[in-house]
Amino acid sequence: MSSPVRVRFAPSPTGNLHVGGARTALFNWLFARHHGGVFILRIEDTDLERSQEAYTRAILDGLRWLGLDWDEGPEVGGPHGPYFQTQREGLYREAVERLLREGKLYHCFCTAETLETMRQDQAERKVAIKYDGRCRALGRAEVERRIATGEKFVLRLRCPEGESVEWEDLTKGRLSFTSDLLDDLVVVKSDGMPTYNFAVVVDDVGMKITHVIRGEDHISNTPKQILLYRAMEAPLPRFAHIPMILGKDRARLSKRHGATSVIEYEKMGFDPEAFRNYLALLGWAPEDHTQELLSREELFARFTLDRVSSHGAIFDLDKLTWMNAEYIKRFSPATLLARLRPWLAQIPGFPGGFDDAALAKMAGLYRERVKTYNEILTMADWFFIEPATFDAKGLEKAAKIGGARALLAKLIDRLQTAGEFTEGPLEGLVRSFAEAEGRKFGDVVHLCRLGLSGRTATPGLFEVMAVLGRERTLARLGRFLTSCPA
Ligand code: GLU
């Protein structure tokens, strides 16, 4: 590629980071990293009514959560700033002045009512609905007089007639429009603010963007923007319009399908790397598409736009959950503990006197059991909060054992003198104890598990005992004696 790749993610801070936005950011980031290029973050906050600082923060946080680092943009700066559109007014003004000087823009004084009447009339006559260009020919003197009287105006681009506007889209192939269907685009609104299409082009030119990678919902903007590039005599970037993210019913992903903002997935306990991996596969696949678990480096190496699909990609929560579980299974106990810690910290009583080695061991017990981090809250809380009640069915089962309490008391005695308090020896001890007592091994295990956790299902009992340690194990079993059926 001749000039160094420069791409951007340009969110409007009018909401939290959406799954679709995150995927657009990800594709830009991967493309930049694949080519050793530059990934720019630009905040498009010209819609003053809907933009909020808190959303900018949320977008930055969301991108950071996903591990997407930007080379130029808010909080990191760069040579083509500022990176907030509201701070770039001077640049838009300069561009407007130049285009005005070159006669490429004109003042339009048409009021909202005039435009409405025009539309109705066109609709009745069944002709294309667009601005009819009636202010194009106003003379300079008239324009100046009307401005002086305080009449409101917008600035429009003179749209050429009969020109074809086409481009080779890197994901959609050749796309072509005729300029006849395009309006004389408003470039500056009556409040003096640049329009979206104009600001984007001024910024993309100013920031030397080489590839515009964005959602296909922007395809209709692209011909308008191309006319602006032509007016500004600026080189065209390449465009790649990526497919929309759809729900299972193939309608565009919306609240109706479930969570749509990235932060909600963080709150549901998804791992950022797994989530990023899943997002990467929404509309893209590596050549060997049987490999779905892809590290950051593998994604960098393999991401190319020619492997982006031109069809919508279906967001499948089950698949995402599966992938998350696959990531969790592959973490070392120490890594898993690091990821789980913010969740564990929500459990009252955490860390409950456990040191990091014991906590890592405990985390390891859940590697194959939790699919999302939030599950740990209800699955492992009993490590930190000694059970005060015991599962009713578990107690019923204990009652059927017969002489459970005496049996347990004997086991407690036996455990007091146990040598090493680790899985292997503990299992050996319980097995020989059950045999010597003429009891079923499973019954003894059941009693212990119920006493230690209050539950009938936990990770392997002997691993649990090893994590709890001798003191806690004996104390819990001792206290269970009063609730244990006799
Ligand atoms: N600010 C636009 C949006 O939020 C994106 C503009 C672009 O990518 O060209 O959809």
Side-chain angles (χ1 to χ4, degrees):
M1 217 152 289
S2 47
S3 51
V5 161
R6 294 178 56 86
V7 291
R8 85 304 193 273
F9 174 51
S12 306
T14 54
N16 286 321
L17 182 61
H18 187 271
V19 170
R23 201 266 320 244
T24 299
L26 176 62
F27 280 16
N28 276 283
W29 181 69
L30 293 176
F31 184 76
R33 296 293 172 259
H34 179 85
H35 291 286
V38 174
F39 174 54
I40 298 162
L41 176 62
R42 179 174 77 223
I43 305 295
E44 304 209 321
D45 54 353
T46 49
D47 183 343
L48 300 178
E49 266 167 39
R50 291 170 60 228
S51 295
Q52 283 183 30
E53 172 109 30
Y55 289 136
T56 299
R57 174 102 333 272
I59 291 168
L60 265 53
D61 288 348
L63 292 173
R64 288 210 171 98
W65 180 72
L66 283 169
L68 308 194
D69 54 334
W70 51 99
D71 308 301
E72 293 178 25
E75 295 178 3
V76 303
H80 301 281
Y83 294 93
F84 287 84
Q85 285 192 326
T86 45
Q87 295 168 19
R88 297 176 62 84
E89 267 176 83
L91 295 162
Y92 305 132
R93 206 172 317 117
E94 259 173 46
V96 165
E97 276 160 16
R98 194 187 124 198
L99 290 174
L100 267 176
R101 257 196 326 271
E102 294 172 351
K104 290 169 178 163
L105 303 183
Y106 66 90
H107 293 75
C108 167
F109 295 90
C110 292
T111 60
E113 296 89 77
T114 310
L115 295 174
E116 187 46 39
T117 316
M118 188 187 303
R119 254 190 297 266
Q120 279 172 12
D121 176 54
Q122 287 167 337
E124 265 165 41
R125 289 191 291 123
K126 296 196 165 43
V127 296
I129 298 195
K130 61 178 215 171
Y131 183 65
D132 65 5
R134 65 181 67 179
C135 287
R136 273 182 172 215
L138 297 181
R140 197 184 171 127
E142 183 178 354
V143 167
E144 272 164 20
R145 182 185 54 76
R146 290 173 76 168
I147 294 176
T149 62
E151 236 184 283
K152 282 202 174 301
F153 64 88
V154 298
L155 291 174
R156 287 183 186 269
L157 178 76
R158 282 178 209 281
C159 176
E161 269 164 48
E163 258 187 41
S164 112
V165 183
E166 32 184 45
W167 73 95
E168 192 67 38
D169 199 271
L170 291 172
T171 56
K172 297 270 166 198
R174 188 142 205 91
L175 293 175
S176 140
F177 292 76
T178 154
S179 67
D180 292 347
L181 292 176
L182 299 173
D183 248 332
D184 276 357
L185 187 73
V186 176
V187 159
V188 177
K189 295 182 268 188
S190 59
D191 61 3
M193 289 299 270
T195 55
Y196 155 71
N197 279 307
F198 182 59
V200 164
V201 174
V202 171
D203 290 346
D204 284 346
V205 170
M207 294 179 181
K208 301 191 169 17
I209 299 301
T210 57
H211 296 76
V212 171
I213 304 169
R214 60 185 170 200
E216 66 183 12
D217 49 335
H218 280 289
I219 286 182
S220 61
N221 286 319
T222 304
K224 300 174 193 167
Q225 294 181 6
I226 289 178
L227 290 179
L228 281 165
Y229 278 96
R230 286 184 189 166
M232 289 168 64
E233 291 162 37
L236 265 196
R238 302 300 306 269
F239 291 96
H241 288 92
I242 59 182
M244 292 288 101
I245 300 181
L246 313 174
K248 275 191 172 162
D249 57 356
R250 304 202 66 85
R252 200 169 152 177
L253 189 71
S254 72
K255 281 269 163 234
R256 204 158 52 73
H257 298 105
T260 52
S261 48
V262 169
I263 181 126
E264 292 175 271
Y265 289 90
E266 181 182 357
K267 287 192 182 140
M268 282 189 261
F270 285 94
D271 184 85
E273 277 179 65
F275 191 74
R276 185 175 70 197
N277 188 160
Y278 180 70
L279 274 189
L281 298 175
L282 283 181
W284 173 82
E287 212 162 295
D288 170 11
H289 50 79
T290 56
Q291 194 194 347
E292 294 185 297
L293 301 185
L294 295 151
S295 70
R296 195 177 106 112
E297 280 62 35
E298 284 170 322
L299 288 171
F300 288 172
R302 297 187 199 174
F303 188 85
T304 53
L305 287 173
D306 59 354
R307 300 212 47 88
V308 171
S309 145
S310 56
H311 310 294
I314 292 177
F315 188 89
D316 178 351
L317 185 62
D318 295 333
K319 179 83 189 274
L320 166 63
T321 308
W322 166 83
M323 186 166 280
N324 206 61
E326 292 301 309
Y327 265 77
I328 291 176
K329 278 183 206 165
R330 285 165 177 75
F331 287 142
S332 70
T335 304
L336 183 54
L337 173 61
R339 309 281 170 125
L340 281 175
R341 203 181 277 275
W343 297 91
L344 291 171
Q346 295 172 36
I347 300 175
F350 177 84
F354 291 99
D355 62 16
D356 277 3
L359 289 173
K361 193 155 185 205
M362 189 219 82
L365 300 183
Y366 287 94
R367 218 160 32 168
E368 305 263 350
R369 289 181 167 81
V370 295
K371 291 193 170 67
T372 49
Y373 296 139
N374 57 340
E375 291 175 346
I376 203 75
L377 293 176
T378 49
M379 281 176 112
D381 53 346
W382 55 272
F383 272 93
F384 309 99
I385 317 164
E386 184 171 335
T389 55
F390 301 88
D391 181 85
K393 286 226 167 69
L395 287 172
E396 262 172 49
K397 188 172 164 190
K400 286 192 193 130
I401 292 173
R405 191 181 293 161
L407 182 66
L408 187 61
K410 265 195 191 171
L411 178 68
I412 293 173
D413 278 347
R414 183 71 194 81
L415 283 172
Q416 240 133 16
T417 57
E420 219 190 315
F421 220 77
T422 52
E423 296 88 288
L426 283 168
E427 180 169 356
L429 181 150
V430 172
R431 276 194 193 280
S432 53
F433 171 80
E435 219 175 279
E437 295 298 316
R439 299 295 197 137
K440 280 191 206 143
F441 173 67
D443 286 347
V444 182
V445 167
H446 171 71
L447 279 183
C448 283
R449 171 172 285 132
L450 187 62
L452 293 175
S453 66
R455 309 177 176 215
T456 53
T458 66
L461 175 69
F462 304 107
E463 288 159 309
V464 163
M465 286 169 94
V467 170
L468 289 173
R470 188 192 309 265
E471 241 174 78
R472 261 191 224 89
T473 300
L474 288 171
R476 285 192 186 190
L477 291 180
R479 281 189 281 271
F480 177 50
L481 279 177
T482 49
S483 313
C484 182

